[in-house]
Amino acid sequence: MPQPVGEAAVVAPPYAPATVRQPGLVLTDHHFDVPLDHADPDGERIRLYAREVVATRRAGEELPWLVYLQGGPGFPAGRPLGRENWLDRALDDYRVLLLDQRGTGRSTPANRQTLPLRGTPARQADYLAHFRADSIVRDCEHVRARLTGGRPWTVLGQSFGGFCAVTYLSLAPEGLAEVLITGGLPSLDADADTVYRAAYPRMERKSLAHYARYPGDEDAARRIAAHLADHEETLPDGTLLTVGAFQQLGILLGTGDGSHRLHYLLEDAFVPTAAGPRLSDAFTEQAAAVLSRAQCPLYAILHEAIYAQDGRATHWSADRVRAEFPQFDRHTDEGARFLFTGETVHPWMLRTHPSLRPLRPVAQLLAEREGWGPLYDAARLARNTVPVAAAVYQDDLFVDTGHSLRTAEGIGGLRTWVTSEFEHDGVRVG
């Protein structure tokens, strides 16, 4: 599969279709070659990977297909370990396809190791501009034609996967039998600045709610922040743990058990050493697992681009908007609260994270990129006839509840289930 890339070439491995079994499951590999740019179907192609999962007892039956779109952006589909979680229920009725979205997992991964093969940072940025929800939807349509013989299928979209599902309803509703969305109804018209102006107050509420549950944790967080202000600490993966990076551990507060996990992380932070108190290996190992972007560099590089559809550049929106909320930087002031952040991307991350450092030039070019096209068609969504059901989580850290409910009103026939019993990851609130 030739792929001209400057003086280099991306060589895809040969197809290796395989079927394996787990208790109760039959899993089959699928590979698909799709256009990099679906507006140029005869141009360069990239390779997608997807894993078919079917219940052993139903492997020989003609079942409807359900394609799962993972949250992110930039995360591959989950790797099943038997019949667990939502997959267990889905396998009662469907043949499930776990799609690694382009650039993730085994679908022509885009990271610090592979992107230099594209050539200059400008060429890398042009390449990654084809990795948003509209391209993912077109990929799905290509795959659907191959697997279902043209029959519509069900889409289950979690978080960013739900954003993709709404794009699917906008671009190709004829391919959909029904749509299921969990924590992923996007605003149809909010730009990145609007998204983050709604996000920072949620981060503040989540931080204060955590301290109400674990009152001693604010002092613990202050001690860690004070230590980081005076000492350079590096995580096992090479990430420089700055105060800002430490604040990003608040991303745990958007998950069902995250408050408890954050508490246990904070209580084991320090150990005595010959050089005085330092952060423990146990703490830094766990912090690295939360903060690392090695598996998902696109989560940082393309994060703000998922909100760009008015032609304007995002210009590091989360970082700029943070200046409107100075309480996140006043933790050294007398009487000020220490606040965690969450799902935000900042230019300093391109310096502190080893997996992102080589991508700093391309990330900057994408932050400055203009001309992003629309991802949603409000008029078409209003006329929608595809059955859609969406779970909306109250005070969701990752997706603004108010934005989601306004979008729900704008999609014809959509039914919502609004709940405070579960967090964004679908785990019951502890």
Side-chain angles (χ1 to χ4, degrees):
M1 182 174 62
Q3 292 180 309
V5 186
E7 298 179 358
V10 177
V11 180
Y15 287 122
T19 296
V20 298
R21 293 177 179 268
Q22 293 180 4
L25 301 181
V26 178
L27 305 99
T28 302
D29 293 337
H30 292 277
H31 302 269
F32 310 89
D33 291 339
V34 301
L36 168 65
D37 180 358
H38 285 277
D40 181 18
D42 297 323
E44 180 184 346
R45 302 180 81 78
I46 60 175
R47 180 165 295 176
L48 301 181
Y49 169 79
R51 179 178 280 110
E52 174 189 341
V53 187
V54 64
T56 302
R57 63 182 177 81
R58 307 202 68 183
E61 298 181 30
E62 192 73 27
L63 296 171
W65 283 89
L66 180 149
V67 60
Y68 176 70
L69 299 180
Q70 180 65 281
F75 286 91
R79 276 33 183 173
L81 301 172
R83 293 189 60 152
E84 57 181 1
N85 304 322
W86 67 267
L87 185 61
D88 181 51
R89 176 62 185 86
L91 291 173
D92 288 343
D93 301 309
Y94 298 98
R95 190 175 296 270
V96 173
L97 191 72
L98 301 174
L99 174 67
D100 284 355
Q101 297 163 22
R102 54 171 56 200
T104 75
R106 297 173 63 185
S107 289
T108 314
N111 53 48
R112 67 177 178 86
Q113 296 169 299
T114 64
L115 283 170
L117 294 170
R118 307 301 310 183
T120 66
R123 289 182 177 179
Q124 295 174 41
D126 288 342
Y127 175 72
L128 291 178
H130 297 294
F131 282 63
R132 296 203 306 160
D134 49 351
S135 295
I136 293 169
V137 168
R138 297 302 185 195
D139 289 344
C140 287
E141 280 295 273
H142 185 98
V143 171
R144 181 179 67 86
R146 289 274 304 276
L147 288 184
T148 76
R151 293 186 300 277
W153 59 6
T154 295
V155 167
L156 170 58
Q158 157 65 14
S159 192
F160 172 70
F163 289 29
C164 294
V166 177
T167 300
Y168 212 144
L169 288 165
S170 298
L171 298 182
E174 65 278 4
L176 300 169
E178 58 188 352
V179 171
L180 308 171
I181 296 172
T182 56
L185 279 179
S187 170
L188 300 181
D189 55 10
D191 62 8
D193 287 9
T194 302
V195 168
Y196 289 113
R197 285 192 182 101
Y200 279 107
R202 295 199 307 277
M203 298 176 202
E204 182 173 4
R205 291 195 297 272
K206 293 287 188 182
S207 296
L208 300 182
H210 175 73
Y211 297 143
R213 169 177 277 160
Y214 292 113
D217 280 12
E218 187 165 12
D219 285 341
R222 286 183 185 282
R223 289 196 300 273
I224 295 169
H227 174 82
L228 293 173
D230 296 330
H231 302 81
E232 183 172 293
E233 293 275 6
T234 303
L235 301 182
D237 68 346
T239 295
L240 179 63
L241 187 63
T242 63
V243 175
F246 169 60
Q247 285 179 292
Q248 289 196 313
L249 289 173
I251 198 168
L252 290 169
L253 299 178
T255 62
D257 59 2
S259 179
H260 309 308
R261 291 170 59 198
L262 180 61
H263 169 68
Y264 293 133
L265 181 58
L266 296 177
E267 72 176 5
D268 290 332
F270 289 105
V271 292
T273 75
R278 298 302 296 254
L279 294 179
S280 70
D281 288 346
F283 174 87
T284 58
E285 186 74 29
Q286 294 174 75
V290 176
L291 298 176
S292 174
R293 295 294 175 258
Q295 185 190 15
C296 53
L298 295 185
Y299 183 77
I301 304 302
L302 284 177
H303 203 105
E304 295 190 354
I306 71 175
Y307 304 117
Q309 53 177 344
D310 57 4
R312 293 182 295 174
T314 58
H315 288 304
W316 299 110
S317 176
D319 199 66
R320 289 186 294 99
V321 170
R322 176 169 169 150
E324 301 174 18
F325 298 89
Q327 62 268 39
F328 284 87
D329 296 306
R330 287 178 176 163
H331 47 84
T332 58
D333 295 351
E334 183 70 27
R337 310 302 300 268
F338 182 89
L339 301 176
F340 287 98
T341 57
E343 193 183 44
T344 54
V345 177
H346 303 269
W348 53 257
M349 294 172 64
L350 281 299
R351 174 179 56 86
T352 59
H353 290 58
S355 60
L356 301 180
R357 284 177 197 143
L359 302 178
R360 188 173 185 176
V362 66
Q364 185 62 40
L365 288 171
L366 287 168
E368 297 170 355
R369 191 179 188 91
E370 298 179 339
W372 297 108
L375 295 169
Y376 314 113
D377 184 333
R380 195 170 196 180
L381 290 170
R383 301 191 303 270
N384 174 64
T385 59
V386 177
V388 185
V392 177
Y393 305 118
Q394 288 281 17
D395 214 27
D396 190 332
L397 178 69
F398 299 93
V399 179
D400 187 76
T401 305
H403 291 173
S404 293
L405 293 178
R406 282 192 291 276
T407 294
E409 293 175 354
I411 300 178
L414 184 146
R415 293 180 297 152
T416 57
W417 175 49
V418 183
T419 178
S420 59
E421 295 182 56
F422 297 87
E423 282 283 5
H424 186 84
D425 58 350
V427 174
R428 190 177 294 275
V429 177

